[in-house]
Amino acid sequence: MSQTPTHQNYINGAFIDAVEHLEVHNPANGALLSRVPESRAEDVERAIAAANDAKKAWAALPAVERASYLRKIATRIRDNVPALARMITEEQGKVSGLAEVEVNFTADYLDYMAEWARRIEGEVIESDRPGETILMLRKPLGVVAGILPWNFPFFLIARKMAPALVTGNTIVIKPSEETPNNCFAFARLVEEVGLPKGVFNVVSGAGASVGQALTGSSRVDMISFTGSVATGSRIMANAAGNLTKLNLELGGKAPAIVLGDADLDLAVKAIRASRIINTGQVCNCAERVYVERTVADEFVTRMGKAMAATTFGDPLAQPDVEMGPLINRAGLDKVGRMVKAAVGEGAELITGGAVADLGHGFHYQPTVLAGCRADMGIMRQEIFGPVLPIQVVDSLDEAIVLANDSDYGLTSSVYTRSLANAMRACREIDYGETYINRENFEAMQGYHAGVRKSGIGGADGKHGLYEYTHTQVVYLEA
Ligand code: NAD
C-alpha cells in the first residue's frame, strides 16, 4: 500500500519540514490524499525574508532572462499534464477534461506573460524646462503575497506569479487549505528549472494564521488575493496598518439577461455551460437569469431539460461525467440551505433541488428554480453550486436595473440578436466583464476585474501585468 505523502514548505529554494500538518481529502470519496504544513508565524517570516533577500538580484536581471524561467516552467508543466490534472481532480473534484484544460491554460499563461518581457514600457514626458527630460520608469513593487482559493488552484498560481516575476518581483504563495497538493507540485517544477532561490516560495496552512501573518507583514509590498468577499474585507483591514497595496479578485453573482429576440438554443447551451462548469464553483459562473416574458416559458422548459440531463459523479471513477462534487460539506450545506429558502419563499422547482445521494462525496443535483424575485437570497448571494434561479422581466430596462442592483459586479452576460440592445446593455450594465451571446469565460489577454464588492484592481493582459509595478518619475537635467 502506498504511503500518504507529507509535503514540505518551499522556502528559499529548499523543501522544509513543518512541525504541524493539515490533512487534505478527496471531496468525491473522502480519501486522505496528503498531509501539508500547518505553517507557523516563523515559517511565514522565513519565506517573506527569503523573498526580500532575493528581490534585488532578481529585479536586476533583464526581463527576458526572468521570462525564460517562466517558459521553462511552462514546458515542464506540459511534460506532466496527466499527472498534474489528476492531482487537481483528486483534491478539488473537477472533472478530468477541465483539469487538463486548467493545466494547459496555466502553461499558456506563463508563456503569454513571458512575452511581455520586451514590452514592459515606461514613458518620456515633455518638460516645461529647457534641457530637462522627464522619464517615467516602471519598477517592481518588491515582495508579493499571493493568496489562493481552491476552485482553479493551479492556474491561479500562474495568474499571480507570472506577472509578478516577469516584472521583477518575488513572491510567497499561500494555497488554499483544500487544494495545496498541486501547489507543491508546481514548486517542484520551479525547483527543477533552477529558478534563483527565494524568488518563489510556498507556505501552506490556515487563512486565519498563515494568511493573517502574510497580509499583516510590513515586509510584503503587495497582496494579490483571490477568494471570497468576506476574506477580502478581512485582508483589507489587516493590510491597513501598513497601507499595503491590494489586488483583490473576489466573488460574483453574474446576471445573464435573455431577451425576447435571443437565439434560445445558444442561450440555453451557453448559460448551462456557464452554470455547470466546475460544478458551479467559478467566480464568473452565470448565477441568475433575467428572461424576457415573451420567451420565458420556453426558456425555462428548455433550461430545465438541459440541466436535468447533466451527468455527475466521482470524476476519477466515472471520467465522462460533466460535474464532480462540491468542494466540501460546508459548500454542499450552503447550496442546500439556499435552495430550500428559495422554495420556501415561493420559487418553483423545475428540476433537481436536493443533495444527490451517491453514497459518497458532496454532490448536489443540477437545479433550476423559476418564479424567482429580486428580494430572494438566491438572487442576491453567491450560490457557488449547480443551481440556476430565473426571474421573468418585461424589458431590457428592467433587466438592467435588476442586474445592477447587486453587491457584486464581476461578470455579466446578454443574449440578443439586436446590436442596439447589446450595445445599450454594454453601456448601462455596471460590471467588470460582459459576454454577449457566449458563455462566461475570460481570455488571458483581457482584463479580469470586478466593480463594487467583487474586487479592487484586476488580472490578465497589459493592465493586469502593470498592477505588479509602480512608476518612478525622474526629472533629468543633464
Ligand atoms: P476564501 O476567501 O474562503 O479563501 C481564499 C483564501 O484565503 C484561502 O487560501 C484561505 O486560507 C485564505 N484566507 C482565509 N482567511 C484569511 C485571512 N483572514 N487572511 C488571509 N487569508 C485568508 O475563498 P474560497 O472559498 O477558497 O474561494 C471561493 C471564493 O473565491 C468565491 O467567492 C469565488 O467567487 C472567489 N473567486 C474569485 C475569483 C476572481 O477572479 N474574482 C476567482 C476564483 C474564485
Side-chain angles (χ1 to χ4, degrees):
M1 225 173 72
S2 66
Q3 257 204 326
T4 306
T6 298
H7 291 292
Q8 299 163 300
N9 283 327
Y10 185 63
I11 300 174
N12 205 24
F15 287 96
I16 295 175
D17 280 333
V19 179
E20 289 173 276
H21 294 88
L22 296 171
E23 290 186 345
V24 182
H25 295 268
N26 181 333
N29 58 25
L32 175 65
L33 297 170
S34 68
R35 293 186 179 80
V36 301
E38 169 62 293
S39 305
R40 297 176 167 191
E42 53 264 36
D43 302 318
V44 178
E45 274 311 310
R46 264 167 98 173
I48 295 172
N52 270 287
D53 290 347
K55 70 183 180 187
K56 193 169 173 202
W58 180 248
L61 281 182
V64 280
E65 282 185 42
R66 297 195 295 260
S68 72
Y69 289 102
L70 299 185
R71 291 186 205 279
K72 285 181 200 155
I73 298 167
T75 302
R76 298 295 296 125
I77 288 173
R78 289 196 184 96
D79 291 342
N80 289 281
V81 174
L84 291 167
R86 188 185 165 89
M87 189 177 280
I88 294 169
T89 295
E90 273 179 346
E91 61 184 330
Q92 197 260 285
K94 66 165 54 85
V95 296
S96 311
L98 184 59
E100 284 190 14
V101 168
E102 179 174 350
V103 174
N104 284 309
F105 195 80
T106 304
D108 291 351
Y109 197 90
L110 288 159
D111 280 342
Y112 167 75
M113 280 296 168
E115 285 170 13
W116 277 102
R118 291 194 176 90
R119 297 185 177 85
I120 300 168
E121 294 175 351
E123 292 172 22
V124 181
I125 302 165
E126 189 69 25
S127 170
D128 294 349
R129 297 190 184 188
E132 182 178 77
T133 307
I134 303 176
L135 303 173
M136 191 164 85
L137 310 179
R138 212 169 260 287
K139 292 187 151 181
L141 292 157
V143 172
V144 176
I147 301 182
L148 312 182
W150 46 262
N151 63 344
F152 283 90
F154 196 68
F155 164 59
L156 283 158
I157 304 169
R159 199 182 230 177
K160 300 196 182 306
M161 70 81 84
L165 265 53
V166 78
T167 50
N169 303 277
T170 58
I171 196 162
V172 180
I173 294 277
K174 188 201 97 57
S176 165
E177 300 87 311
E178 306 284 357
T179 54
N181 294 337
N182 67 84
C183 195
F184 291 113
F186 193 104
R188 277 191 292 279
L189 302 182
V190 164
E191 174 73 7
E192 283 169 24
V193 306
L195 190 77
K197 61 182 191 172
V199 171
F200 177 87
N201 308 274
V202 179
V203 281
S204 65
S209 51
V210 178
Q212 273 299 102
L214 274 172
T215 55
S217 171
S218 61
R219 301 195 72 206
V220 165
D221 302 287
M222 173 181 177
I223 299 161
S224 179
F225 169 74
T226 303
S228 63
V229 170
T231 305
S233 177
R234 258 178 238 126
I235 287 176
M236 199 167 175
N238 197 33
N242 296 310
L243 291 166
T244 311
K245 177 173 179 175
L246 292 170
N247 178 283
L248 303 178
E249 302 287 323
L250 308 178
K253 184 71 189 167
I257 298 176
V258 181
L259 295 180
D261 65 1
D263 175 341
L264 281 198
D265 288 338
L266 169 73
V268 169
K269 195 169 164 218
I271 294 172
R272 174 181 172 274
S274 300
R275 181 67 285 190
I276 67 166
I277 183 172
N278 209 24
T279 320
Q281 304 167 113
V282 188
C283 60
N284 66 16
C285 265
E287 279 259 337
R288 53 191 164 125
V289 175
Y290 300 105
V291 60
E292 212 167 358
R293 193 173 301 279
T294 49
V295 291
D297 288 347
E298 195 183 342
F299 176 81
V300 168
T301 305
R302 286 202 210 177
M303 186 53 89
K305 278 193 190 141
M307 284 290 278
T310 303
T311 56
F312 56 90
D314 175 346
L316 286 179
Q318 300 160 269
D320 293 335
V321 290
E322 294 172 285
M323 295 196 310
L326 293 166
I327 188 68
N328 53 28
R329 167 71 54 197
L332 183 68
D333 290 349
K334 178 186 160 207
V335 171
R337 268 198 314 275
M338 289 182 81
V339 171
K340 201 170 162 207
V343 171
E345 288 162 339
E348 182 191 352
L349 195 56
I350 304 297
T351 188
V355 170
D357 186 8
L358 305 184
H360 54 75
F362 307 117
H363 301 275
Y364 198 85
Q365 295 171 347
T367 297
V368 174
L369 292 165
C372 295
R373 299 184 312 269
D375 62 334
M376 293 178 175
I378 201 112
M379 294 300 277
R380 309 199 74 81
Q381 294 145 21
E382 194 178 41
I383 305 168
F384 240 50
V387 176
L388 192 66
I390 302 173
Q391 178 167 351
V392 176
V393 293
D394 285 306
S395 63
L396 175 58
D397 294 277
E398 188 185 356
I400 289 173
V401 168
L402 290 167
N404 287 343
D405 178 21
S406 174
D407 282 348
Y408 296 99
L410 190 57
T411 70
S412 53
S413 62
V414 181
Y415 296 84
T416 176
R417 287 192 174 98
S418 153
L419 182 60
N421 282 340
M423 287 311 298
R424 227 194 92 211
C426 291
R427 279 194 298 274
E428 294 181 22
I429 277 195
D430 290 329
Y431 277 75
E433 233 163 68
T434 302
Y435 299 90
I436 307 289
N437 294 326
R438 57 155 286 188
E439 82 287 3
N440 303 13
F441 211 85
E442 64 266 23
M444 62 183 78
Q445 65 272 38
Y447 183 56
H448 183 58
V451 297
R452 294 186 288 277
K453 289 187 180 170
S454 285
I456 296 175
D460 310 336
K462 177 173 70 179
H463 302 289
L465 178 86
Y466 284 156
E467 299 251 334
Y468 290 82
T469 64
H470 74 88
T471 53
Q472 179 182 10
V473 178
V474 177
Y475 297 87
L476 180 66
E477 291 197 6

